Amino acid sequence: MTTLTTLTTTTLEISPDPGSWVTVCEEARLTPGRGVAALLPDGRQVAVFRDRSGRTYAIDNRDPFTGAQVLSRGLLGSAEGRPFVASPLLKQRFDLETGRCLDDDEVTVTVFPVRVTSHV
Amino acid sequence: MTTPTIVLVGHGMVGQRFLESLADRGVTERARIVVLCEEPRPAYDRVQLTSYFSGKTPDDLSMVEAGFMEKHGIELYVGDAAESVDREARTVTARSGRVFAYDALVLATGSYPFVPPVPGKDARGCFVYRTIEDLLAIEEYAKTATTGAVVGGGLLGLEAAGALKGLGLDTHVVEFAPRLMPVQVDEGGGAALLRTIERMGLTVHTGTGTQEVVTADGSVTGMKLSDGSELATDMVVFSAGVRPRDQLARDCGLTVGERGGIAVDEQCRTSDPAVFAIGECALASDGRVYGLVAPGYEMAQTVAATLAEEAGEGDGFTGADLSTKLKLLGVDVASFGDAHGTAEGCLDVVYSDSRSGVYKKLVVSGDGVLLGGVLVGDAEQYGLLRPLTGTVPPVSPEQLVLPAGAGAPVALGPSALPDDAVICSCHNVTKHAIGACSSLAEVKKCTKAGTGCGSCVKVIEKLLPAPADKGLCGCFSYTRSELYEIARALRVTSFAALLDSHGREEARGGEGCEVCKPTVGSILASLNNGYILDGEQASLQDTNDHFLANMQRNGSYSVVPRIPGGEITPDKLIVIGEVARDFGLYTKITGGQRIDLFGARVDQLPSIWTRLVDAGFESGHAYGKALRTIKSCVGQTWCRYGVQDSVKMAIQLELRYRGLRAPHKLKSAVSGCARECAEAQSKDFGIIATAGGWNLYVGGNGGATPRHADLLAQDLSDAELVRLIDRFLMFYIRTADRLERTSTWLERLEGGLDHLKDVVVHDSLGLCDELEALMAAHVADYQDEWAQTLDDPERLRRFVSFVNAPEAPDPSVRFVPERDQIKPDLTILTLGRTNSTLEGASSR
Ligand code: SRM
Ligand SMILES: Cc1cc2nc3c(=O)[nH]c(=O)nc-3n(C[C@H](O)[C@H](O)[C@H](O)COP(=O)(O)OP(=O)(O)OC[C@H]3O[C@@H](n4cnc5c(N)ncnc54)[C@H](O)[C@@H]3O)c2cc1C
Ligand code: SF4
Ligand code: FES
């Protein structure tokens, strides 16, 4: 039986700058609890994540502590109900909603708006 | 003003404590200190002497902190004994001819083992048990012996007998008294002890004296006993008590006791006020010579206080506690206080179970004060009962001796102890002093409690604040091993299910965290053996496991193909070379006998591995908390010394355990003979070939805190070796904490190596079948992760730099040349932008 949902594709988009949206990938590409990296037209890299409950997040892919473009390959977690990603290199954690580093008050990464759009 | 000189004769346990006390009190800054040390090495832990046979080296036993003498300007003459004292002139003459003038002389000459004057006592093969040199000689001689006899069934005699047994000798104990440990235990206790000792395979002859040592050509061949029988034996160890070494004092006219010992007053002053005597050589003012270290330490402190001219001079030494606990493999014996019930009107409360060899007796006064006791077969409560001596215990004595479950409702906790109860009798440390510390390490450092015989450690641990929360992380209040048991028993196969059912209340329904996810991922992998990157498991793995490669500082990866046993064909070497050349990778021989290829971009990993898998390579799991390498030496096939084929065994083992997920990485090595070129003793499990098979060592570690591995079993056949390693590894996987190498696990394991032996060699928990079955399942289910990945396009999809531009390489991964190869270009990383962009929007 064919239903409407199987015909629907859900796409993830992020907004690098106010008002503009860039398509990243189909939502189903994201494993819950992990991330992917996307390349922006201007060369910037964004790390996009999906958590267990299906919420999505986007932050700068660059790990400010090492300079490497790796945050998308970190592990997701939650502390006190707030989602974070732990850098795969030196394990500092970044709040996915605010970009604040949980292990160093001085450091923040950029957070990008994300939306999910469905097309039939 | 001239600096006064203090001369110490004897650098044993008490002598060293005396020096430390002087240093603590600043006396070393004001006085010249000279020490004459007869033995060829500075003070060592005689109490733990026997631990030499379980792997402690003479250096491990040393009691002198590195640099101690230099730091305090103490002159130590090792290997030089005091020969005579001229009290008139106040000088000491040493064997070397050196003469030292003193203002104060302290004698700490200890005691010597008493050897009964029987014929043949000086034959080759006769030993005493007092110094490291004695043990070295015993060990050497035992190599050619099959039977050994110990004269004396006291505390030390049994320790020596345990050591002979451990050296593989058929061991006899000959005791003149009608029971073992006559000084410490009463008749009932002696009977229980006898059963336990016999069960360990030792032969005991009580009520029997030694009449003669029988010799042939000057070497021991046997012993004639007082009951007329003869005992064939290759060596004899005398442990028939000790006598104070008071000759020096006698010779210079100091007062000595009728039965020996340098007579001292409460300040430990001898009949000459400029001369003191401390430790086992002293006859204390209460008329006793103390053969234990704790009273000696107290004397050392008393004299140091006196010499420091401290106000009040302390209380002096008036007598001490004679509590003892046997440090013998597998036997629990302790006695404390008035163990024989000599006080008037006292009562005995006895519990005895002859089947299990447990005997407990407490001595209480008419008004309920605990006076002392004897514990055999189960001395668990020793640490608690000893400090309660002299008080009315908070529960009835019956409850204290009954075993748990037999109507004994209470496990008497350390909280019941009064504040001034002495918990560590070796170092005279009270409950109050321990309460000021927050960890065992701190207690040992600040108070020294627990660093002597070690019998108080259990109680100390109970007195310390329990670490507020033993839980794995903010998400789970269980430890890793508890989670393992839960996952195994309830057949949990999903992290989310485990978190929602067994996580902390506030963490349920959440994401977990970077600590528990990989930990649970590893547990699930070791229980289910599935491909680790499918479904939910994919989200649990650390980045390295997720990409089956090790991330480097610039976000590139290293590739390590498995090279079992370090053996590789020229063709395979060429393939590695070609792959490295074609992908421009940096190559290096690792410390693990294989080759690491560095500098791969994530999107290159599948093409690199396609080439490697085609050539017959498999994943080397350099990324996983899993088996790493099993190093080998070249062994019997080529090496002139080799006695077994170490390469073949290393390969066989590496193929067996490859892919095995564990709480931490696992390393191993196999050496072809005792020269140990593969460094097996620094491995989690190390194997050394013997003429008769293989010796298995476990718990070794290199890295930050190196540890030599302990010998688990000897002369194993190939099959026995594999079976024992199966059990060992699975038991470790099951019970270790997160990121706990086998070395730290073994150190933490209650009962240590003995317990491990019980479980994996003697199957004391009945677990071995299950452990072997788990390993068999692992071996049967193993598949190469990289081959599995390459086979499946779905699994390959993650290997891209950018999800929205799968073809684009990551421009931030760049390299610059160095020594004909590449290295990461870190300058682009510090610039923060790989492309200069117009916006210049800061990433902060
Ligand atoms: C590549 C290598 C160095 C080399 O160029 O030779 C290496 C490289 C690393 N070692 Fe090592 N170790 C390497 C041999 C060793 C050895 C020597 C050996 O195995 O014989 C030791 C000491 C032996 C031991 O482990 O007991 C060793 C003790 C460590 C430790 C400390 C472990 C400890 O218990 O104290 C760490 C840190 C850790 O695991 O927590 C570590 C961690 C690492 C890590 C994983 C650090 C990291 O997280 O990035 C490095 C990853 C390398 C990579 O990306 O591929 N490495 N490391 C060696 C790889 C061997 C192999 O073929 O698999
Ligand atoms: C195997 C074994 C197990 C033991 N277990 C325990 C236990 O569990 N609990 C416990 O409390 N006690 C135990 N003891 C006893 C404990 O070791 C002693 O009580 C303690 O060592 C006494 O210390 P000391 O400094 O008085 O004598 P020692 O440690 O014997 O030191 C005396 C030193 O003086 C040296 N010396 C002698 N004469 C001269 C001289 N003229 N010039 C220079 N140097 C000289 C000797 O060579 C020796 O090194 C055990 C002893 C042994 C052998
Ligand atoms: S350990 Fe022994 S067999 Fe192996 S290489 Fe060294 S000497 Fe040869
Ligand atoms: S009682 Fe011996 S170390 Fe504490």
Side-chain angles (χ1 to χ4, degrees):
Chain A
M1 195 177 75
T2 312
T3 64
L4 188 63
T5 33
T6 54
L7 296 175
T8 310
T9 49
T10 316
T11 317
L12 266 179
E13 297 175 348
I14 69 145
S15 172
D17 301 296
S20 73
W21 290 93
V22 176
T23 301
V24 174
C25 61
E26 279 173 31
E27 195 189 9
R29 265 308 284 283
L30 268 79
T31 308
R34 291 222 92 102
V36 295
L39 190 60
L40 296 181
D42 61 8
R44 278 183 288 169
Q45 298 188 20
V46 185
V48 186
F49 305 93
R50 187 159 89 146
D51 71 13
R52 235 181 110 181
S53 58
R55 268 173 308 196
T56 48
Y57 311 89
I59 60 172
D60 196 338
N61 193 30
R62 182 173 180 272
D63 170 15
F65 291 93
T66 59
Q69 299 276 0
V70 294
L71 290 186
S72 59
R73 289 177 247 162
L75 271 181
L76 244 60
S78 55
E80 288 159 17
R82 299 184 63 82
F84 66 79
V85 63
S87 166
L89 279 173
L90 303 177
K91 310 285 163 169
Q92 291 90 352
R93 296 163 305 157
F94 299 91
D95 186 308
L96 291 175
E97 284 171 341
T98 62
R100 210 168 46 81
C101 176
L102 303 181
D103 302 295
D104 185 341
D105 287 343
E106 312 268 284
V107 181
T108 313
V109 294
T110 312
V111 175
F112 301 93
V114 204
R115 71 180 183 197
V116 177
T117 51
S118 304
H119 323 263
V120 182
Chain B
M1 208 182 90
T2 55
T3 342
T5 302
I6 301 172
V7 173
L8 169 68
V9 177
H11 191 221
M13 299 183 73
V14 172
Q16 172 61 17
R17 172 52 71 91
F18 170 68
L19 295 176
E20 287 167 17
S21 295
L22 287 182
D24 287 348
R25 291 175 164 82
V27 180
T28 44
E29 279 158 37
R30 306 191 291 265
R32 174 184 179 213
I33 319 275
V34 173
V35 185
L36 287 170
C37 169
E38 176 189 55
E39 290 190 58
R41 52 172 56 83
Y44 55 87
D45 193 344
R46 206 178 301 289
V47 171
Q48 296 297 341
L49 193 63
T50 304
S51 67
Y52 168 77
F53 287 122
S54 51
K56 286 265 166 73
T57 63
D59 277 350
D60 294 336
L61 290 175
S62 170
M63 302 200 70
V64 188
E65 226 172 88
F68 175 84
M69 300 295 164
E70 296 77 6
K71 183 170 161 208
H72 298 290
I74 298 172
E75 293 167 41
L76 172 70
Y77 297 93
V78 175
D80 200 2
E83 195 123 86
S84 62
V85 175
D86 183 341
R87 293 200 285 123
E88 200 83 357
R90 292 203 176 177
T91 59
V92 178
T93 306
R95 203 169 287 163
S96 61
R98 295 184 184 106
V99 179
F100 301 97
Y102 65 80
D103 296 281
L105 173 64
V106 179
L107 302 175
T109 48
S111 26
Y112 66 90
F114 168 69
V115 177
V118 293
K121 69 180 172 52
D122 297 320
R124 249 192 324 275
C126 286
F127 299 92
V128 294
Y129 200 86
R130 177 84 195 171
T131 65
I132 289 184
E133 274 55 43
D134 293 336
L135 266 59
L136 294 174
I138 289 172
E139 184 181 42
E140 186 58 34
Y141 202 84
K143 285 183 186 158
T144 55
T146 52
T147 306
V150 174
V151 176
L155 196 70
L156 291 188
L158 290 182
E159 226 178 285
L164 291 188
K165 178 93 185 109
L167 288 171
L169 301 190
D170 188 7
T171 306
H172 296 259
V173 178
V174 181
E175 167 57 53
F176 188 68
R179 60 172 186 270
L180 293 171
M181 286 180 71
V183 183
Q184 289 85 9
V185 306
D186 60 9
E187 225 182 290
L193 179 58
L194 177 65
R195 268 190 300 277
T196 314
I197 298 277
E198 287 183 335
R199 218 174 283 156
M200 291 172 65
L202 282 83
T203 314
V204 179
H205 312 259
T206 46
T208 321
T210 307
Q211 253 168 3
E212 187 184 333
V213 175
V214 186
T215 61
D217 297 335
S219 301
V220 175
T221 57
M223 273 163 65
K224 277 204 183 111
L225 304 182
S226 60
D227 60 4
S229 66
E230 206 174 310
L231 178 69
T233 183
D234 305 317
M235 57 195 293
V236 176
V237 177
F238 288 101
S239 183
V242 294
R243 298 285 183 271
R245 290 188 67 174
D246 53 17
Q247 197 58 43
L248 198 61
R250 280 176 199 271
D251 292 348
C252 65
L254 291 171
T255 308
V256 295
E258 217 171 283
R259 289 192 288 147
I262 308 167
V264 295
D265 65 10
E266 288 184 12
Q267 305 307 323
C268 298
R269 243 183 252 273
T270 65
S271 49
D272 176 342
V275 184
F276 298 81
I278 56 179
E280 282 195 332
C281 63
L283 173 66
S285 60
D286 64 351
R288 304 180 89 142
V289 173
Y290 286 92
L292 294 171
V293 73
Y297 282 172
E298 251 179 85
M299 296 183 203
Q301 258 146 347
T302 301
V303 176
T306 305
L307 292 175
E309 288 160 20
E310 277 177 8
E313 291 193 0
D315 300 336
F317 180 85
T318 50
D321 176 21
L322 284 174
S323 304
T324 36
K325 191 173 175 200
L326 187 62
K327 308 178 294 298
L328 185 64
L329 291 179
V331 191
D332 250 5
V333 183
S335 81
F336 57 96
D338 182 6
H340 293 279
T342 55
E344 200 165 322
C346 65
L347 306 162
D348 288 355
V349 181
V350 178
Y351 168 83
S352 165
D353 176 354
S354 54
R355 282 161 313 165
S356 59
V358 171
Y359 172 90
K360 298 182 189 178
K361 181 179 89 175
L362 296 185
V363 180
V364 281
S365 69
D367 48 4
V369 174
L370 177 65
L371 299 176
V374 177
L375 306 170
V376 178
D378 173 10
E380 183 71 31
Q381 288 154 309
Y382 170 69
L384 270 174
L385 290 173
R386 188 186 59 202
L388 276 176
T389 310
T391 70
V392 178
V395 297
S396 76
E398 291 79 6
Q399 287 177 328
L400 290 173
V401 294
L402 281 173
V410 277
L412 179 61
S415 51
L417 297 173
D419 242 18
D420 58 356
V422 174
I423 304 295
C424 174
S425 65
C426 286
H427 294 280
N428 205 357
V429 182
T430 60
K431 176 178 170 187
H432 177 76
I434 288 166
C437 306
S438 59
S439 69
L440 183 60
E442 197 184 327
V443 170
K444 287 184 170 175
K445 192 157 169 257
C446 303
T447 68
K448 295 208 159 173
T451 60
C453 68
S455 68
C456 56
V457 169
K458 273 196 190 152
V459 176
I460 296 178
E461 277 173 342
K462 292 198 185 127
L463 282 175
L464 292 170
D469 190 338
K470 282 216 217 74
L472 180 64
C473 59
C475 310
F476 286 98
S477 57
Y478 295 99
T479 63
R480 180 197 172 276
S481 55
E482 287 165 344
L483 288 176
Y484 181 98
E485 291 305 326
I486 292 168
R488 193 181 58 89
L490 304 180
R491 298 182 198 287
V492 178
T493 53
S494 133
F495 173 78
L498 190 63
L499 181 64
D500 294 352
S501 59
H502 288 82
R504 295 180 197 264
E505 211 56 60
E506 62 277 18
R508 297 188 179 179
E511 289 294 311
C513 72
E514 78 285 6
V515 172
C516 57
K517 281 168 114 179
T519 304
V520 173
S522 153
I523 291 174
L524 297 178
S526 35
L527 282 173
N528 305 324
N529 295 305
Y531 178 74
I532 63 156
L533 294 181
D534 279 348
E536 186 211 37
Q537 284 223 51
S539 70
L540 305 179
Q541 310 303 335
D542 263 326
T543 300
N544 287 352
D545 290 79
H546 195 56
F547 291 98
L548 304 168
N550 293 46
M551 180 182 277
Q552 306 297 317
R553 57 192 305 166
N554 65 343
S556 68
Y557 286 88
S558 78
V559 170
V560 188
R562 186 167 296 292
I563 300 182
E567 181 185 85
I568 185 164
T569 61
D571 282 340
K572 280 189 154 180
L573 267 178
I574 289 169
V575 172
I576 290 188
E578 285 172 349
V579 169
R581 186 192 56 207
D582 297 351
F583 289 87
L585 305 175
Y586 166 80
T587 56
K588 176 178 185 302
I589 311 283
T590 71
Q593 293 190 343
R594 48 192 189 171
I595 300 171
D596 206 341
L597 315 175
F598 294 85
R601 281 192 325 266
V602 66
D603 48 281
Q604 291 178 311
L605 291 172
S607 355
I608 292 173
W609 271 104
T610 302
R611 297 263 302 265
L612 292 172
V613 169
D614 280 350
F617 286 105
E618 294 189 343
S619 167
H621 293 100
Y623 45 80
K625 300 290 173 252
L627 179 82
R628 292 285 162 86
T629 69
I630 303 201
K631 302 211 277 186
S632 71
C633 76
V634 66
Q636 188 185 38
T637 321
W638 293 89
C639 175
R640 62 189 157 138
Y641 292 120
V643 291
Q644 302 285 351
D645 190 344
S646 46
V647 177
K648 183 171 162 202
M649 180 52 78
I651 295 174
Q652 183 192 334
L653 294 176
E654 185 155 345
L655 295 181
R656 183 171 182 81
Y657 303 120
R658 63 188 163 179
L660 182 67
R661 290 288 195 292
H664 207 317
K665 58 191 171 191
L666 286 167
K667 298 180 175 187
S668 173
V670 185
S671 281
C673 82
R675 283 167 194 75
E676 248 283 68
C677 298
E679 301 171 305
Q681 288 171 96
S682 68
K683 299 299 175 199
D684 296 280
F685 57 107
I687 296 107
I688 301 178
T690 66
W694 308 97
N695 284 356
L696 175 59
Y697 292 80
V698 297
N701 206 160
T705 320
R707 179 181 192 275
H708 269 126
D710 292 314
L711 181 60
L712 186 66
Q714 278 166 290
D715 290 328
L716 301 164
S717 68
D718 288 13
E720 287 169 339
L721 174 69
V722 169
R723 195 174 59 179
L724 193 52
I725 301 175
D726 282 3
R727 294 174 175 183
F728 166 74
L729 290 178
M730 276 301 168
F731 185 54
Y732 160 67
I733 289 175
R734 187 157 173 170
T735 55
D737 271 338
R738 172 183 111 86
L739 296 188
E740 189 172 46
R741 289 289 289 269
T742 56
S743 58
T744 29
W745 168 73
L746 188 54
E747 299 264 321
R748 178 181 60 88
L749 197 66
E750 201 165 307
L753 184 66
D754 291 335
H755 176 64
L756 179 64
K757 276 189 193 159
D758 281 345
V759 175
V760 301
V761 181
H762 309 305
D763 198 10
S764 63
L765 300 180
L767 266 181
C768 289
D769 285 347
E770 193 182 329
L771 298 175
E772 285 173 36
L774 279 166
M775 188 62 86
H778 162 78
V779 174
D781 292 351
Y782 166 81
Q783 288 192 49
D784 173 38
E785 284 160 9
W786 263 109
Q788 282 178 295
T789 306
L790 295 174
D791 274 351
D792 184 340
E794 201 38 51
R795 290 171 177 167
L796 281 174
R797 281 182 81 184
R798 74 166 62 94
F799 293 91
V800 292
S801 291
F802 303 108
V803 67
N804 61 345
E807 308 304 319
D810 181 348
S812 73
V813 176
R814 275 207 228 139
F815 303 92
V816 290
E818 184 170 73
R819 292 189 298 278
D820 300 331
Q821 299 203 64
I822 57 162
K823 70 171 185 185
D825 180 358
L826 298 178
T827 55
I828 4 176
L829 302 186
T830 43
L831 291 176
R833 278 287 169 280
T834 49
N835 284 7
S836 46
T837 54
L838 295 177
E839 288 77 8
S842 153
S843 61
R844 288 277 168 95

